[in-house]
Amino acid sequence: MFLGIVDIIADVHGVNQSSFYLLFRVLVLTYNITYSSFGEMKNMDVRVVEVLGLCQQDPVNFRRENCSCRSRDMLSPQGLLYKQPSVLMGRTNVVTVTPWLAPIVWEGTFNHLIVDSIYKPMHLSIATTVFAVGKYVSFLRDFLETAEKHFMVDFKVRYYIFTDRREDVPAVVLAPGRNVTIIPVPGSNRWQEISSRRMEMIQTTIENQIGKEADYIFCLDVDTKFHGRWGAETLSRLVATIHPGYYEQTHEHYPYERRPASRAYIPAGEGDYYYGGATIAGYVMDVHKLAKYCHEQLEADAANSIEAAWQEESHLNRYLLYNKPTKILSPEYLWQDFKAKNNEVQIIRFSQVNKNYAEVRPNVKKRK
Ligand code: UD2
């Protein structure tokens, strides 16, 4: 009714309706701040923030039209024929859902025909960050060439390559709708610092650029190759990947940070899965929140002269223990080339290549 009255007043006075709505909402907010309870005020605040074109989830001023917190309808086309899903038959040798009801994605838990028919028409923009600092630039060609074959095929993808060696970035042929942006970063004498600093750079690049350009973001290690489909089945609000080294173990064997002095501390007796730092994904806003958290915790530790057991991966694991991911990728999505394939892992989609640490890391001594 109020909006009807606003329409009439706007017509009578010949005022542009959207400006009038905006003014009206701001007046209502002022009224609420003055007279209503905190709960009502908070709700109204959210609505006005939306009207003003900002996203309410974060203090950073992301534009509303680029805000990935809006969910979309899961529309499936009529006439699509596929194997009927069963409620009785499915994977039996792996767990496919967490105790908080997030799916764990394994081969056999999704039908790519249905997934693609739902997500491809959404015309999503996918940001993919990859750091290639120092000698790690040599991994880029394989990473990009195999990504073009398997990673989010038919989606709009922009690779954000963070490097101190721009001139060594290989020219790889990309499919239409896929692009590269190079982001210059300083080098470092410590591999631990390079790995950790990714969080800060992801945070600031989301604030300055990616937040305006993408719906979803993937943050991936570069010393890797894609071997099989990695598609829209991996999209969700906050996505983590089970580390291939620990999925058969219980949490007392995880390399969590166990020193209470570190901000990454996880007390004995607590834990879900051990997540790999090599793949983090989700809505841009949610990954921004995670990256900002890890960056702040890394800084706090540095101020106290402590470095967590596995740098940013330790802080990531603490964050994900208390901020549960909405989807989990099985070790199919993060394998290691030196590990033999086993029965549970029916397909290896993405794997860390074997590397000579002394050769590629700046602060690892070469063996004589
Ligand atoms: C693990 C994680 C990694 C990270 C690290 C802890 C997996 C499989 N890997 O891998 O994600 O959490 O532990 O810090 O979960 N980089 C450079 N230049 C360097 C060093 C690193 O660009 O000189 C970048 C590069 O993108 C690389 C990433 O940092 O892929 C991680 O470094 P790493 O692969 O050497 O770490 P690693 O193998 O210990």
Side-chain angles (χ1 to χ4, degrees), residues 21 106-107 119 143 213 316 335 345:
Y21 280 138
W106 295 91
E107 178 71 358
Y119 285 95
F143 173 88
E213 296 176 352
L316 171 78
W335 199 248
V345 179

PDB file of all heavy atoms in Angstrom, residues 21 106-107 119 143 213 316 335 345:
ATOM      1  N   TYR A  21      11.506   6.361  -4.723  1.00  0.00           N
ATOM      2  CA  TYR A  21      11.549   5.168  -3.860  1.00  0.00           C
ATOM      3  C   TYR A  21      12.756   5.219  -2.960  1.00  0.00           C
ATOM      4  O   TYR A  21      12.690   4.947  -1.774  1.00  0.00           O
ATOM      5  CB  TYR A  21      11.685   3.893  -4.718  1.00  0.00           C
ATOM      6  CG  TYR A  21      10.406   3.408  -5.330  1.00  0.00           C
ATOM      7  CD1 TYR A  21      10.384   2.957  -6.647  1.00  0.00           C
ATOM      8  CD2 TYR A  21       9.223   3.366  -4.607  1.00  0.00           C
ATOM      9  CE1 TYR A  21       9.222   2.487  -7.235  1.00  0.00           C
ATOM     10  CE2 TYR A  21       8.056   2.905  -5.197  1.00  0.00           C
ATOM     11  CZ  TYR A  21       8.056   2.476  -6.511  1.00  0.00           C
ATOM     12  OH  TYR A  21       6.915   2.015  -7.075  1.00  0.00           O
ATOM     13  N   TRP A 106      31.870 -37.026  -5.530  1.00  0.00           N
ATOM     14  CA  TRP A 106      32.646 -38.158  -6.061  1.00  0.00           C
ATOM     15  C   TRP A 106      32.048 -38.523  -7.416  1.00  0.00           C
ATOM     16  O   TRP A 106      30.858 -38.252  -7.657  1.00  0.00           O
ATOM     17  CB  TRP A 106      32.497 -39.398  -5.177  1.00  0.00           C
ATOM     18  CG  TRP A 106      33.022 -39.348  -3.787  1.00  0.00           C
ATOM     19  CD1 TRP A 106      32.345 -38.968  -2.668  1.00  0.00           C
ATOM     20  CD2 TRP A 106      34.326 -39.749  -3.337  1.00  0.00           C
ATOM     21  NE1 TRP A 106      33.132 -39.089  -1.552  1.00  0.00           N
ATOM     22  CE2 TRP A 106      34.368 -39.579  -1.934  1.00  0.00           C
ATOM     23  CE3 TRP A 106      35.469 -40.239  -3.980  1.00  0.00           C
ATOM     24  CZ2 TRP A 106      35.493 -39.882  -1.159  1.00  0.00           C
ATOM     25  CZ3 TRP A 106      36.589 -40.532  -3.205  1.00  0.00           C
ATOM     26  CH2 TRP A 106      36.597 -40.351  -1.815  1.00  0.00           C
ATOM     27  N   GLU A 107      32.836 -39.195  -8.231  1.00  0.00           N
ATOM     28  CA  GLU A 107      32.288 -39.767  -9.461  1.00  0.00           C
ATOM     29  C   GLU A 107      31.114 -40.679  -9.073  1.00  0.00           C
ATOM     30  O   GLU A 107      31.205 -41.443  -8.101  1.00  0.00           O
ATOM     31  CB  GLU A 107      33.394 -40.580 -10.172  1.00  0.00           C
ATOM     32  CG  GLU A 107      32.953 -41.279 -11.438  1.00  0.00           C
ATOM     33  CD  GLU A 107      32.687 -40.320 -12.599  1.00  0.00           C
ATOM     34  OE1 GLU A 107      32.813 -39.088 -12.417  1.00  0.00           O
ATOM     35  OE2 GLU A 107      32.320 -40.811 -13.674  1.00  0.00           O
ATOM     36  N   TYR A 119      23.500 -25.298 -15.158  1.00  0.00           N
ATOM     37  CA  TYR A 119      24.449 -24.191 -14.923  1.00  0.00           C
ATOM     38  C   TYR A 119      24.911 -23.470 -16.189  1.00  0.00           C
ATOM     39  O   TYR A 119      25.181 -22.273 -16.136  1.00  0.00           O
ATOM     40  CB  TYR A 119      25.671 -24.696 -14.142  1.00  0.00           C
ATOM     41  CG  TYR A 119      25.351 -24.938 -12.684  1.00  0.00           C
ATOM     42  CD1 TYR A 119      24.987 -26.199 -12.217  1.00  0.00           C
ATOM     43  CD2 TYR A 119      25.374 -23.887 -11.767  1.00  0.00           C
ATOM     44  CE1 TYR A 119      24.678 -26.413 -10.887  1.00  0.00           C
ATOM     45  CE2 TYR A 119      25.064 -24.089 -10.430  1.00  0.00           C
ATOM     46  CZ  TYR A 119      24.708 -25.363  -9.997  1.00  0.00           C
ATOM     47  OH  TYR A 119      24.400 -25.564  -8.676  1.00  0.00           O
ATOM     48  N   PHE A 143      49.551 -26.278 -16.525  1.00  0.00           N
ATOM     49  CA  PHE A 143      48.342 -25.935 -15.782  1.00  0.00           C
ATOM     50  C   PHE A 143      47.288 -25.366 -16.742  1.00  0.00           C
ATOM     51  O   PHE A 143      46.142 -25.820 -16.783  1.00  0.00           O
ATOM     52  CB  PHE A 143      48.673 -24.911 -14.684  1.00  0.00           C
ATOM     53  CG  PHE A 143      47.459 -24.372 -13.970  1.00  0.00           C
ATOM     54  CD1 PHE A 143      46.944 -25.017 -12.863  1.00  0.00           C
ATOM     55  CD2 PHE A 143      46.807 -23.222 -14.425  1.00  0.00           C
ATOM     56  CE1 PHE A 143      45.811 -24.541 -12.217  1.00  0.00           C
ATOM     57  CE2 PHE A 143      45.675 -22.740 -13.790  1.00  0.00           C
ATOM     58  CZ  PHE A 143      45.175 -23.405 -12.683  1.00  0.00           C
ATOM     59  N   GLU A 213      33.897  -8.521 -11.356  1.00  0.00           N
ATOM     60  CA  GLU A 213      33.975  -9.260 -12.625  1.00  0.00           C
ATOM     61  C   GLU A 213      33.434 -10.682 -12.593  1.00  0.00           C
ATOM     62  O   GLU A 213      33.195 -11.257 -13.646  1.00  0.00           O
ATOM     63  CB  GLU A 213      35.446  -9.309 -13.085  1.00  0.00           C
ATOM     64  CG  GLU A 213      36.003  -7.936 -13.400  1.00  0.00           C
ATOM     65  CD  GLU A 213      37.490  -7.931 -13.776  1.00  0.00           C
ATOM     66  OE1 GLU A 213      38.150  -8.982 -13.660  1.00  0.00           O
ATOM     67  OE2 GLU A 213      37.972  -6.871 -14.168  1.00  0.00           O
ATOM     68  N   LEU A 316      43.330 -21.938   7.168  1.00  0.00           N
ATOM     69  CA  LEU A 316      42.182 -22.362   6.361  1.00  0.00           C
ATOM     70  C   LEU A 316      41.427 -23.491   7.066  1.00  0.00           C
ATOM     71  O   LEU A 316      40.198 -23.494   7.154  1.00  0.00           O
ATOM     72  CB  LEU A 316      42.710 -22.851   5.002  1.00  0.00           C
ATOM     73  CG  LEU A 316      41.718 -23.527   4.076  1.00  0.00           C
ATOM     74  CD1 LEU A 316      40.852 -22.479   3.405  1.00  0.00           C
ATOM     75  CD2 LEU A 316      42.432 -24.347   3.009  1.00  0.00           C
ATOM     76  N   TRP A 335      44.588 -34.656  -6.142  1.00  0.00           N
ATOM     77  CA  TRP A 335      45.396 -35.854  -5.949  1.00  0.00           C
ATOM     78  C   TRP A 335      46.861 -35.458  -5.991  1.00  0.00           C
ATOM     79  O   TRP A 335      47.174 -34.283  -6.215  1.00  0.00           O
ATOM     80  CB  TRP A 335      45.043 -36.888  -7.033  1.00  0.00           C
ATOM     81  CG  TRP A 335      45.454 -38.279  -6.699  1.00  0.00           C
ATOM     82  CD1 TRP A 335      46.424 -39.021  -7.309  1.00  0.00           C
ATOM     83  CD2 TRP A 335      44.903 -39.109  -5.673  1.00  0.00           C
ATOM     84  NE1 TRP A 335      46.518 -40.253  -6.713  1.00  0.00           N
ATOM     85  CE2 TRP A 335      45.595 -40.335  -5.706  1.00  0.00           C
ATOM     86  CE3 TRP A 335      43.902 -38.938  -4.700  1.00  0.00           C
ATOM     87  CZ2 TRP A 335      45.331 -41.379  -4.816  1.00  0.00           C
ATOM     88  CZ3 TRP A 335      43.627 -39.983  -3.823  1.00  0.00           C
ATOM     89  CH2 TRP A 335      44.336 -41.192  -3.886  1.00  0.00           C
ATOM     90  N   VAL A 345      38.896 -43.770  -5.421  1.00  0.00           N
ATOM     91  CA  VAL A 345      39.103 -42.692  -6.389  1.00  0.00           C
ATOM     92  C   VAL A 345      38.999 -43.287  -7.789  1.00  0.00           C
ATOM     93  O   VAL A 345      39.949 -43.832  -8.333  1.00  0.00           O
ATOM     94  CB  VAL A 345      40.469 -42.024  -6.139  1.00  0.00           C
ATOM     95  CG1 VAL A 345      40.732 -40.916  -7.141  1.00  0.00           C
ATOM     96  CG2 VAL A 345      40.506 -41.458  -4.723  1.00  0.00           C
TER      97      VAL A 345
END
